Amino acid sequence: MERFLKDFDVDPSEEARTRWRSAVTIVKNRRRRFRNITDLGKRAKAEKNKREIQEKIRVALYVQKAAIHFIDGMVVKERLFRIIGPLSFVLSMINLCLSAAAGRAEYKLSEETREAGFSIHPDELASIVRGHDIKGLKIHGGVEGIARKVSVSLNHGVSTVDLPTRQKIYGFNRYTEKPSRAFLMFVWDAFQDLTLIILTVCAVVSIGVGLPTEGWPKGMYDGLGIILSIFLVVMVTAISDYKQALQFKDLDKEKKKIFTQVTRDEKRKKVSIYDLVVGDIVHLSIGDLVPADGVYILGYSLLIDESSLTGETEPVNIYEEKPFLLSGTKVQDGSGKMLVTAVGMRTEWGKLMETLIEGGEDETPLQVKLNGVATLIGKIGLIFAVLTFVVLIGRYLVEKALNHEFADWSSSDALTILNYFATAITIIVVAVPEGLPLAVTLSLAFAMKKLMDERALVRHLSACETMGSASCICTDKTGTLTTNHMVVDKIWISEKSIEVKGNVSEDILKSDLSGRVLGILLQAIFQNTSSTVDKDESGRNTIFGSPTESALLEFGMLLGGNFDAQRREFKILKVQPFNSDRKKMSVLVALPDGGVRAFCKGASEIVLRMCDKVVDCNGGSVPLPKEQAKNITDVINGFASEALRTLCLAFIDLETTSDESSIPDDGYTLIAVVGIKDPVRLGVKDAVQTCLAAGITVRMVTGDNINTAKAIARECGILTEDGVAIEGRELRSMSPEQMKDTIPRIQVMARSLPMDKHTLVTQLRKMFGEVVAVTGDGTNDAPALREADIGLSMGIAGTEVAKESADVIILDDNFATIVNVAKWGRSVYINIQKFVQFQLTVNIVALVLNFVCACISGSAPLTAVQLLWVNMIMDTLGALALATEPPNDGLMKRSPVGRNVSFITKAMWRNIIGQSIYQLAVLAVLNFDGKQLLKLSGSDASDTLNTLIFNSFVFCQVFNEINSRDIEKINIFRGMFGSWIFLGVMVCTVTFQVIIVEFLGTLASTVPLSWELWLLSVLLGSVSVPLAVILKCIPVERDITKHHDGYVALPTGEALA
């Protein structure tokens, strides 16, 4: 079948997606089939609108800058001329001059705003930031003046009791969203099925012809039966789709849980970005999204990426003279505080979001493939339906001609032809497996909901599916394999190593260290940090910052240091924040008695290379000879081999007092080497072993010291005897040939830069064809997360930029959760395979049975109503039963599915063909020799036989649905009684089948059956279970995925038991 599906190759390009959608020709209900898929036309239009808005924002910024220069008598830059053109440029300058002459737009302050204590109009406040109006800001008194006008203290922040008033006057920080669809809309979508509409017309015509011909109420039965069946199909479909929509809505709510840090009620707090109000003091750090428009208060080296808003790739420096921050932009470097001036739809980001509310995602690889399968089978079904109708009409006309009745036509003839047409249309209903691609959505929605309960938020549908094929996981160490609850465990200072153990260590350190040494150590800890210490409501110290810095601050407070006192005593002049490229943080401070001192902390070997002196036991700086540097290196390696994270603290005194002084990169004095303990998470080793058993290679990629990384990797079971541990610089220096030889054996990469991770991921995918999952938490991890097949961001330690680039957010930062995502991904894949096997069997049997019987006997044994019921069993109910089965541990004992492996396997074809042959044989015997074999006689013999055929056919599907629970294993009942959805569908199917046969005979063309015939129907259906055992013993060639690292799939013989 694969060679017929070339138009459905998975390709992420827009042209490919347009091509394959046009190839999906046989679609009964295009509206429902593509409901959760992005409308390519609308998306293109939205992208065009986005670009237009970005261009307007960009031009407005350039015009504003040009106007300021123009009014101040400066020459307008050439760049503006290029962007808006000569004529537009001249006109804009004239308008600016007129605007300047006429004065600023006046905003009338409402009485409500005055009474609330505010003295600036919301639109005026929003326009200052939106237009980068630096003069307007100065007219209002700068950021302090704006703060006064919105009644807020820059130190204390907004009062919680004022929040409702501020939201009423200045608005909520929410954007226009697409309204939720009501249940009736799903009913309407379900009824848009073309075949159901045609059948409805046929039913109405049948009633119209039947009433005058056969009278009331008999003339109603055929048409009414079809209408009721259509109603049942529509309602079951709508309920299923509506529940899916609710699941996606819950997931969307989780995606919107973004928090930021603010100062409120004189305390630093975490709040949802949607609860921000004008006047809030927001704290920004690397990787944060700017949550609203605002004005810069203070900060250090604040660098903002405005590309999402303006399209400009060059980051913008934010400082006092350039203080405007726009919502939706990202903090690329540095840190700072801002005053919120506009929220929600008063921001440009809000207006931009309004153009992008068109929902849906791109098709997942499985949806693309299954749309192809559905189209191919639909075409075959259409041919069979046309042939069936032609054969039935042909036989009918021949019979009339032989009986010399060709010229004699009545309404009963019209009714017969109409029934033939309805049967042909119903064959199309059954033949087109509309449920195949929709079952993927159902299964993914179910898996995403379950993963949410297991602390994994799937942001993109395709990620859950792709994770099932992952053959390699490149994972961070800190917070993923370890707990991220860090404490200082050892410290080397004054040429001594001291083990830190609570209050006992405090006394030892204070007795062993001189006052000067302790003082310089506390300065290095409290001055060179981006974290803060605040009091919570109970008066206890609360640290806001990264786990590493929190461990150092806790250690400093353990030694009796006072964070606030230290910060008041020294003035910070300049900060170089830590990032994964520099691997160090530096700060320049003014000393209380004059002079300037720089502090540096970071990766131990990097900081040690910057030092040429060391603090002695008296607190003085003495030269650091090479011999002693080597001894310190041994100390660092000793700490690292105990799985401790090592940092060096250093300082340098400078002569200059200028605020603009650059922070030096050498000449430092080493203060201490700190060893921080970060314990391995419970269950990580088992999770790693599970991955290895599943054919998934685990590689640790970390910025830590190589000895620390190797110690942790051994503890987790990642690093084996034949594995390789390297540093990032080694990978950077390798040739392509060396990479090809080394990369398969890499299990640990330490001291890696973000680009090293990106290189590793790229080579694994392109050089070795791996399906790669990669974890990341920092801003600079975004390229690797986007390059990987599945990007996994950390929910606790991860920055908002990393989360935005990821496909899955691991909410508890736990490696074991990543393994659960892989397990559910495999479950989705195998569940869809089960459903495809089941549905194709029903398709083949229904098509061939009706066509052959029509050709031979001139009538189809299954009526339109019966086929609609069969369609619901195999489509909606079948998908619900098989596509939502939870994963079992056996899924993680097989190798991952390769990129180009055929979805419909040889084992599936074996089962489909074997079961189809059995069902067709049984039903054919009943149809042609049933009366003689069962000794049926009397006027209702034909009706009884047809009912028995219908009943046997349904029970064959019921037992085959149970068979489909496992494609290869014999024990199909394992775990069945734990799947309440599967059991519920089975019970409902059997119950309703009894009702149809015994009580709805006039509508469904059935008659009540004796208990013997009921037993026969069940027995004929149940034979498919032992038949499945026999079929599974027939050997078929397996598709074995070969791994470049020599992994061999575990033996599966025991699985057949």
Side-chain angles (χ1 to χ4, degrees), residues 500-511 557-560:
V500 179
K501 291 185 178 177
N503 294 329
V504 177
S505 299
E506 177 188 353
D507 298 334
I508 294 171
L509 281 164
K510 285 183 176 178
S511 62
M557 289 186 286
L558 179 71
L559 297 176

Side-chain angles (χ1 to χ4, degrees), residues 213 396 400 405 408-419:
T213 306
Y396 189 71
K400 282 186 75 68
E405 297 175 355
D408 185 18
W409 292 85
S410 65
S411 56
S412 62
D413 293 318
L415 197 60
T416 302
I417 293 172
L418 188 66
N419 286 335

Side-chain angles (χ1 to χ4, degrees), residues 964-977:
S964 298
R965 290 192 69 250
D966 205 294
I967 294 168
E968 296 185 22
K969 295 179 186 175
I970 290 173
N971 187 359
I972 54 174
F973 298 104
R974 184 183 296 171
M976 187 177 84
F977 297 101

Side-chain angles (χ1 to χ4, degrees), residues 237-251:
T237 302
I239 290 168
S240 174
D241 291 349
Y242 183 61
K243 292 191 77 174
Q244 271 184 60
L246 291 179
Q247 287 179 324
F248 284 126
K249 191 175 178 181
D250 290 341
L251 290 166

